[in-house]
Amino acid sequence: GAASDYAQIIQQKALRLKSMVQDVFEISKAASDQLPVKPEVLDFGKLLRQTLADMDGEIQKSGLTFKLDLPEQPVEITADGTRLYRVFQNLLQNALNYSLPGSRVYLSLKTIDKAAVASLRNTSRNELPEGVDFTARFVRGDESRTDGGTGLGLSVAKSFTEACGGTFRVETMADLFTVIVSFPVSMHKPKQ
């Protein structure tokens, strides 16, 4: 009945609040260099493929077409795999939430001047406002949405990327939304 529906809504709101508080806490820790980071050499392409594979159900349901340009050969970077996984989980979720229905989402990984550069580009459902810092806390691309975008996804993604030693940048052009995450390529001495 109505009471159990209500209880369910309360529970959902409580869970959402809990995850928001955790996000804010982690962003704050990252901002003050208190975020525990376990750097390891990892294959950036493999991490991206893993994140996509884990979100495949949602991607299939979304009706969006994902166009991937990921190299076959390993692109090795030094980062915290768990944190970086979360970064791309948030970015893909963001694309799923905000893309124009039926549009294409592009994910590429390229090595440019000793940097591994991943970019995720999608067409926004709504025109993007000018001069907005989308990585600021609680900023949403669409102010009218009340379906639980906390506005923290990009902020967390940026904080975690920077805590891992990468750079995070958002570029918007008309209704195109592009996030660029780059890390220095790890140079290894060849094994003897």
Side-chain angles (χ1 to χ4, degrees):
S4 66
D5 290 351
Y6 191 64
Q8 202 177 353
I9 290 168
I10 297 274
Q11 192 186 1
Q12 283 167 350
K13 289 217 182 297
L15 284 171
R16 190 175 293 158
L17 191 61
K18 185 178 173 217
S19 80
M20 263 173 97
V21 170
Q22 282 170 336
D23 283 351
V24 171
F25 191 59
E26 299 214 291
I27 293 166
S28 305
K29 284 204 291 203
S32 56
D33 290 332
Q34 304 296 306
L35 189 74
V37 177
K38 300 187 188 70
E40 54 183 327
V41 173
L42 52 93
D43 176 355
F44 204 169
K46 195 167 160 188
L47 181 124
L48 294 176
R49 286 193 178 89
Q50 182 66 52
T51 317
L52 285 161
D54 291 349
M55 293 179 75
D56 191 57
E58 288 172 80
I59 289 172
Q60 298 294 334
K61 276 204 294 273
S62 72
L64 299 167
T65 306
F66 276 69
K67 298 276 188 185
L68 308 178
D69 180 8
L70 304 174
E72 288 302 311
Q73 65 278 21
V75 176
E76 293 193 329
I77 59 168
T78 301
D80 179 324
T82 315
R83 301 280 181 204
L84 200 55
Y85 177 86
R86 175 80 190 281
V87 166
F88 284 95
Q89 215 176 18
N90 283 6
L91 295 181
L92 290 165
Q93 195 60 58
N94 197 61
L96 291 172
N97 292 348
Y98 291 109
S99 291
L100 186 71
S103 63
R104 287 176 289 278
V105 178
Y106 296 88
L107 176 62
S108 70
L109 176 61
K110 298 193 166 20
T111 307
I112 304 163
D113 295 335
K114 301 197 174 87
V117 182
S119 75
L120 183 69
R121 171 172 298 159
N122 68 294
T123 303
S124 177
R125 180 180 310 173
N126 301 81
E127 242 182 282
L128 295 163
E130 291 288 309
V132 170
D133 176 5
F134 287 96
T135 62
R137 292 180 213 190
F138 305 116
V139 169
R140 287 194 295 212
D142 175 358
E143 289 308 315
S144 65
R145 287 168 53 104
T146 52
D147 59 3
T150 59
L152 285 168
L154 289 175
S155 195
V156 168
K158 182 182 171 137
S159 309
F160 281 18
T161 300
E162 290 173 352
C164 289
T167 59
F168 186 98
R169 178 168 106 243
V170 171
E171 289 177 1
T172 58
M173 198 178 88
D175 55 4
L176 275 184
F177 191 86
T178 309
V179 181
I180 298 149
V181 175
S182 56
F183 280 86
V185 174
S186 290
M187 297 295 169
H188 297 302
K189 294 191 177 71
K191 291 193 172 71
Q192 297 302 322

